[in-house]
Amino acid sequence: MATGADSARITAKVQGRDITLHGPLTKDEIRSAIWWWQSADPETSEEREECRHDHDDSHKDVITTLGGYYEVSPDPRTPEAERLVDLVYDELNANE
């Protein structure tokens, strides 16, 4: 039986939180995971607020892929953010 050991994995540090993405994921799932603090989910709004207050803006939000380190834009709607989502999507779904 195959386990998750062979699935793609990408790590990130965003808003002071360590994030690990395991493939395969859709582009919307990737956006939600990377820009989690902008989620409309009211149940986590207090957690988002607490983390934002504790976040040290002197540290850049970064994601690590096979291609290197990439800075995470604070706005998921920028062209740079879209390219990052495409890159992460391609890496997480490479075996399909």
Side-chain angles (χ1 to χ4, degrees), residues 36 44-55:
W36 58 269
T44 59
S45 62
E46 184 175 319
E47 178 183 333
R48 284 194 309 273
E49 277 304 309
E50 287 175 12
C51 192
R52 286 189 74 103
H53 290 298
D54 293 341
H55 179 59

Side-chain angles (χ1 to χ4, degrees), residues 10-15 17-21 33-37:
I10 293 177
T11 60
K13 182 121 182 141
V14 181
Q15 294 290 313
R17 176 185 280 183
D18 291 321
I19 299 170
T20 302
L21 304 171
I34 295 174
W35 289 278
W36 58 269
W37 73 93

Side-chain angles (χ1 to χ4, degrees), residues 8 10 25 27 30 66 83-96:
I10 293 177
L25 292 174
K27 289 183 180 184
I30 293 166
L66 292 174
R83 282 192 294 274
L84 180 61
V85 169
D86 289 342
L87 178 88
V88 169
Y89 177 83
D90 289 345
E91 283 194 23
L92 289 177
N93 296 288
N95 292 329
E96 290 194 352

